[in-house]
Amino acid sequence: MKRLMVLCLLLGVIVGCGGEQVNTPKPKGYFRIKFPEKSYRTYISDAPFTFDYPAYATITKDTDADARPFWNNLDFPQFNGRLHLTYHGVFSEQNYNKMTEAARTLAMKHTIKASAIDQKLINYPDKKVYGIYYEIEGNTASSVQFFLTDSAKHYFRGALYFNEAPQYDSIQPVIKFIKKDIDRMIETFKWKN
């Protein structure tokens, strides 16, 4: 009799534990990103500047209807990203002030979604390269913007965008990787005249 009760109890436990399995959703995963080895080329053209850029990126002319001479895009096809590069001549102090204020305004437009915007001064007096580097954190359309100038004749601006909906936590490793390339570009930037 005791055996029968133990057997019934054991059978009841087994039946009670069986049945429909409860599934819990798993968090969304992301693909592992394979970064290329860092190597650089020098951008040389009839533009009034040169700089180093990554060998795994391509430079193409900007084909926008409003594009001007020496406007280019530095494409990172494996990351679906693009660094927009624009150049303007400086014709007056008013013109210079207008362009630097426009760069600040464009960077600060991301304040709504940014968790932080850090500004760093760029100062290479031996090469007459000055500017401001904006590092924008958060789910913003652009994560890096900068401008370079000699404060007299030349003005060069860059803005990094990805062709994806911004998800800062998932693209942060890519941004960190590309920032090193942008830093190299700025460090090696030279005006031809």
Side-chain angles (χ1 to χ4, degrees):
M1 187 75 169
K2 281 186 179 181
R3 283 187 183 179
L4 185 59
M5 269 179 55
V6 171
L7 187 58
C8 286
L9 183 62
L10 188 58
L11 187 61
V13 170
I14 292 173
V15 169
C17 290
E20 196 172 307
Q21 183 179 355
V22 178
N23 292 325
T24 56
K26 294 181 181 177
K28 186 176 183 178
Y30 296 98
F31 294 107
R32 181 170 183 238
I33 302 168
K34 186 171 181 350
F35 293 108
E37 191 174 320
K38 295 275 187 197
S39 66
Y40 297 93
R41 309 178 178 157
T42 301
Y43 174 73
I44 299 173
S45 72
D46 56 343
F49 51 82
T50 66
F51 55 82
D52 286 355
Y53 69 98
Y56 42 83
T58 57
I59 293 183
T60 58
K61 280 197 157 308
D62 189 336
T63 57
D64 188 64
D66 297 328
R68 296 183 182 175
F70 314 124
W71 283 26
N72 296 299
N73 294 311
L74 183 59
D75 292 315
F76 297 89
Q78 67 273 41
F79 305 126
N80 204 15
R82 175 175 278 179
L83 182 63
H84 295 275
L85 304 171
T86 58
Y87 171 81
H88 297 275
V90 175
F91 305 109
S92 68
E93 185 177 341
Q94 181 183 15
N95 172 253
Y96 171 77
N97 291 337
K98 184 178 176 182
M99 288 187 290
T100 56
E101 182 57 28
R104 189 191 72 75
T105 301
L106 288 169
M108 295 304 159
K109 277 187 176 182
H110 299 284
T111 303
I112 295 167
K113 295 215 174 197
S115 57
I117 299 178
D118 293 329
Q119 298 178 47
K120 297 176 191 169
L121 288 177
I122 299 166
N123 189 16
Y124 295 102
D126 54 318
K127 299 186 292 182
K128 295 184 180 177
V129 175
Y130 312 98
I132 297 179
Y133 184 98
Y134 298 96
E135 190 172 335
I136 306 164
E137 295 180 9
N139 289 330
T140 61
S142 178
S143 50
V144 175
Q145 296 190 19
F146 67 91
F147 74 86
L148 305 172
T149 182
D150 66 351
S151 302
K153 298 190 298 187
H154 305 290
Y155 178 88
F156 181 84
R157 183 174 178 278
L160 177 64
Y161 289 91
F162 291 94
N163 299 321
E164 314 247 339
Q167 294 179 351
Y168 186 71
D169 58 337
S170 63
I171 64 169
Q172 189 175 17
V174 174
I175 293 169
K176 186 177 177 182
F177 182 81
I178 293 177
K179 278 182 187 176
K180 290 178 183 175
D181 297 328
I182 294 172
D183 292 345
R184 171 76 180 249
M185 173 189 281
I186 293 169
E187 290 167 6
T188 60
F189 195 93
K190 294 177 190 164
W191 303 112
K192 287 184 180 174
N193 53 14

